[in-house]
Amino acid sequence: MALQDICNFQSVFEDRLTTEYPAVPHGKKIASNYVSGLPFSNNKSLFHFYIPVAEYLDESPIQFGQISTVQNCSAVSSEDPFLTSSSLPTCLPFASSQSVPLPFPMAHGTTTLAFMFQGGVMAAADTRSSCSGLVACPASQKILPIHSHLVGLTSGTSADCALWKRILARELRLYQLRHGRRLSTSGAAKLLSHMLHPFKGTELCVAATLCGWDGGEQKNFVDSTNAKVSLAKDERFSFSQQCSIRKKMNLSGPRLFYVCSDGTRLRGMLFSVGSGSPYAYSILDQGVHWGLTVDEAKSIAREAVYRATYRDAYSGNCVDMYHITSKGWTRRNREDLKEEYYREKERRKHEKTESLKI
């Protein structure tokens, strides 16, 4: 794992086991505490993993699915001869004490959206970060680039989203260095889902939409349509080779996944997340289709974010847009939504004037 490679965790683990439990002759048993020898068994451990207790989870204002209680020592199976009742401590070493709950519920709001079309993936989001009734930051970055062909739209707690974006970017970079190719968008979504699932029921609040393009580094399959036609006419390839090539071609193209902090992972053509998403869907459902041009896609994305910010108090200020293609992502200049408001006002005024003339 990357954590072991970076922090040398595995070697420390093996050194401590070798030091505390020397080799004994075969067939001779010794009485020892197998749990106390782990690196996280005392206050001098390398890593401290925080797992809230059930009482604190019940007081959380943010709940994702069913809340599971912390397992005690009685839940450990008695079939394991090494983990007996005499060798286990009174409670698990990683069960934490009760923390102080939040003084008031933290209300969050945002508007993020992404959809696929023939030109790639279009992603857009507003820039307002809110905390209850306060506009904490009017110019936050909610679309976070992960690598050259993948961006993530984040909604939830800003600190959680930024942290898990960095963790995912690190893991994807290590994968690329080890295997010489990028991990697919589907694999990145599955990896993030597995990493977030252990925190289900806690106050972790992350809802990410991964927008990517797979197969950009394969130069032989840039034009998949022409390649399929030439493949059908060429008799030099066997049937199994043709199936393998077609499978690689199908892996190339735009991809869109939604991942939530409870482990949910969904694949789709269109997603909108946040408190302003119902208003954004009203524009996206009637305007998005596969045959859109790039300019039409940008116009629909900007219009959807504008409508959401017009009705939703927790969304507003500016709009950011990213376009992901086979060549990577490109960012459009940030646009203040008040300009769109004034344009809409002038348009309505002009339409009213024209109707009075008629």
Side-chain angles (χ1 to χ4, degrees), residues 111-233:
T111 300
T112 63
L113 60 93
F115 57 87
M116 295 168 50
F117 65 107
Q118 66 174 357
V121 183
M122 185 62 65
D126 72 309
T127 61
R128 175 177 294 180
S129 292
S130 58
C131 177
S132 187
L134 173 68
V135 178
C137 179
S140 62
Q141 184 75 16
K142 298 182 182 180
I143 307 179
L144 305 176
I146 299 175
H147 60 65
S148 61
H149 288 72
L150 180 65
V151 300
L153 285 83
T154 58
S155 58
T157 306
S158 299
D160 293 339
C161 294
L163 172 64
W164 284 100
K165 176 263 175 183
R166 290 195 294 267
I167 294 175
L168 180 61
R170 179 197 66 189
E171 295 297 330
L172 296 184
R173 179 57 177 162
L174 289 173
Y175 180 91
Q176 185 178 9
L177 292 174
R178 288 166 178 162
H179 301 279
R181 59 183 177 87
R182 297 191 305 267
L183 183 63
S184 64
T185 307
S186 176
K190 184 179 292 187
L191 175 63
L192 181 61
S193 174
H194 287 321
M195 290 192 298
L196 291 175
H197 184 266
F199 297 91
K200 179 180 180 179
T202 66
E203 288 187 351
L204 179 68
C205 184
V206 176
T209 305
L210 299 182
C211 314
W213 185 285
D214 294 340
E217 71 273 19
Q218 298 178 2
K219 297 181 180 179
N220 296 331
F221 305 111
V222 174
D223 192 354
S224 59
T225 304
N226 295 335
K228 289 181 180 179
V229 173
S230 61
L231 182 63
K233 297 180 180 179

Side-chain angles (χ1 to χ4, degrees), residues 283-301:
I283 303 298
L284 297 174
D285 288 339
Q286 66 180 355
V288 175
H289 56 89
W290 181 256
L292 289 174
T293 63
V294 176
D295 293 335
E296 290 174 344
K298 290 180 180 179
S299 178
I300 292 175

Side-chain angles (χ1 to χ4, degrees), residues 280-332:
Y281 272 123
S282 64
I283 303 298
L284 297 174
D285 288 339
Q286 66 180 355
V288 175
H289 56 89
W290 181 256
L292 289 174
T293 63
V294 176
D295 293 335
E296 290 174 344
K298 290 180 180 179
S299 178
I300 292 175
R302 182 177 62 250
E303 178 73 12
V305 175
Y306 165 70
R307 295 298 177 186
T309 58
Y310 187 80
R311 295 291 183 181
D312 181 34
Y314 296 101
S315 305
N317 296 102
C318 302
V319 57
D320 287 332
M321 283 193 292
Y322 280 72
H323 182 207
I324 302 95
T325 63
S326 60
K327 297 180 180 180
W329 56 263
T330 55
R331 180 182 179 183
R332 190 174 181 272

